[in-house]
Amino acid sequence: MARELGQDELIDRWTLVEAELAMVAGKRGATRLGFAVLLRFYTEHGRFPRSRSEIPDAAVDYVARQVGVPVTELAFYDWSGRTIEFHRSQIRRTLGFRECSVADADKLTEWLVTTVTQTERGAERVRDQLLDRCREERIEPPTGGRVDRIVRSALHRGEELLFARVAIRLSEAVRVRLFALVAAGADDDGQPGGDGDGPAVLASIRSDPGNVSLNTMLTEIAKLEAVRAVGLSAGVFADIAPKVVAAWRARAAVEAPSHLRGHAPEVTLALLAALLHCRERRSPTRWSSC
């Protein structure tokens, strides 16, 4: 449903300029008003309204007064069929936009993967970046469902690149130590199951420090020593956005060992490395964000 508009916003966004008035001059009645509303909406949003409900009543009234057509005429405008398709084509052509092709969608996805999703992991923010890019490229955004699919695909592929980037920076010795933390000797609670002490170390690292005391201080120092014994290099996350690392740390902190080792190797390594990386940046007695 369309939101209410203030007077300043109404004037700024819904005033037809001279060239736009010339475009509607040859049209009459409902066709004239419908075309003018479509034109203004498209100019502002880079796409056509999905239905009449997206257009504020105040905007329709304001446009109707500009084109000299009673506002009630919009009720007779056909929102499907040949007329509106012709109007859409005319508006796209005049404004220099084109419909989003399969090739366009592929290029947009690739741009998101390489430029946006390496640092931005929020779907809404990635979606906003996609829509802004469409306007820059003079591409009419695809339908909402197709936009969602592009965003999901870009986020998935972007994270895969990040996982691979981190994993390739880990030496073979570090990889072995990380995998040992989720060895098959652990149950789903991260408790030791008899095959080495890796799962027990992971469970200890993930545990809360509790109230500050000499004992907890010593325990936290022991955890820090265990983390450092894995041997992560200082620059393993050098060009990875802190919020991405923090999100991975949060995942690794709650997933069961069986779940962690069930990921692709690059994912397991990156998640565990993030957990240890953030843990190493804590003080011995206080959990802080990465």
Side-chain angles (χ1 to χ4, degrees), residues 202-210 219-224 227-228 249 275-290:
L202 177 63
S204 174
I205 291 171
R206 300 201 298 189
S207 64
D208 292 330
T219 299
E220 291 303 298
I221 291 173
K223 292 179 188 179
L224 187 56
V227 169
R228 289 175 175 168
R249 190 273 299 168
L275 177 67
L276 271 60
H277 174 81
C278 291
R279 177 61 184 83
E280 190 170 2
R281 278 163 163 66
R282 294 188 297 164
S283 69
T285 57
R286 181 172 178 269
W287 183 282
S288 60
S289 60
C290 189

Side-chain angles (χ1 to χ4, degrees), residues 15-25 39 66:
T15 298
L16 285 92
V17 298
E18 184 176 350
E20 293 169 339
L21 289 170
M23 289 178 65
V24 305
L39 176 60
Q66 293 178 74

